[in-house]
Amino acid sequence: MSSKTIAIASDHGGVELKAQLAKALADWGWGVLDLGTDGPASVDYPDYAAKVAEALKAGKAARAVLLCGTGIGISIAANRFRHLRAALVHDAFGARMCRQHNDANVLVMGGRTIGPEVARDCLKIFLETEFEGGRHAGRVAKFSE
């Protein structure tokens, strides 16, 4: 697995925030696997969730970021894949808890619902926070049953 690479993808509703977060990742020394989309033309968010699922399964990235307008649709699409634990977050606390308690491997945010500064904070916390394990490990294991 590429432990220093983060996959990132969005539909048209998250494309601007995706570009900002990809730049932040690169500035922080992470490799960025940009899986699209790259413009404002309408696209289907489930296709981008599938691209991230494929990249994580193939070991091309350690974790991922997904974005759509609200984050809701793409998080639903992502969680259809058993090996993804996609967490829609809106703030730093959610970003921390999704890692500590849920071992989330995909951070989801809404390009139209979160500002770039908060999104960068969430991403940084998501990358720096470890899974606690312990009492949470058994619960997380049930996600893939």
Side-chain angles (χ1 to χ4, degrees):
M1 176 182 295
S2 184
S3 63
K4 279 296 279 183
T5 299
I6 303 299
I8 189 166
S10 72
D11 74 353
H12 53 282
V15 72
E16 289 180 27
L17 185 56
K18 180 180 70 79
Q20 294 171 356
L21 294 178
K23 182 182 181 321
L25 285 165
D27 289 348
W28 298 334
W30 290 87
V32 178
L33 177 60
D34 189 334
L35 300 172
T37 193
D38 297 318
S42 182
V43 296
D44 297 333
Y45 55 79
D47 298 339
Y48 294 90
K51 287 180 182 201
V52 159
E54 183 178 313
L56 290 181
K57 190 170 194 175
K60 294 179 181 177
R63 294 187 201 156
V65 178
L66 283 170
L67 305 146
C68 70
T70 63
I72 297 168
I74 207 162
S75 65
I76 292 169
N79 281 312
R80 295 180 61 99
F81 296 91
R82 287 185 179 269
H83 63 288
L84 299 189
R85 292 175 306 282
L88 173 58
V89 303
H90 300 96
D91 55 36
F93 181 73
R96 183 171 293 106
M97 290 298 101
C98 81
R99 287 290 306 135
Q100 281 183 345
H101 291 188
N102 306 114
D103 198 20
N105 59 356
V106 181
L107 178 68
V108 183
M109 294 179 282
R112 297 176 181 150
T113 62
I114 193 169
E117 295 84 14
V118 174
R120 277 192 297 275
D121 289 346
C122 289
L123 178 56
K124 190 162 187 59
I125 290 166
F126 176 78
L127 296 172
E128 294 175 350
T129 303
E130 296 297 323
F131 178 49
E132 279 183 9
R135 72 183 192 274
H136 306 290
R139 297 171 186 155
V140 170
K142 291 181 178 185
F143 294 162
S144 296
E145 289 179 358

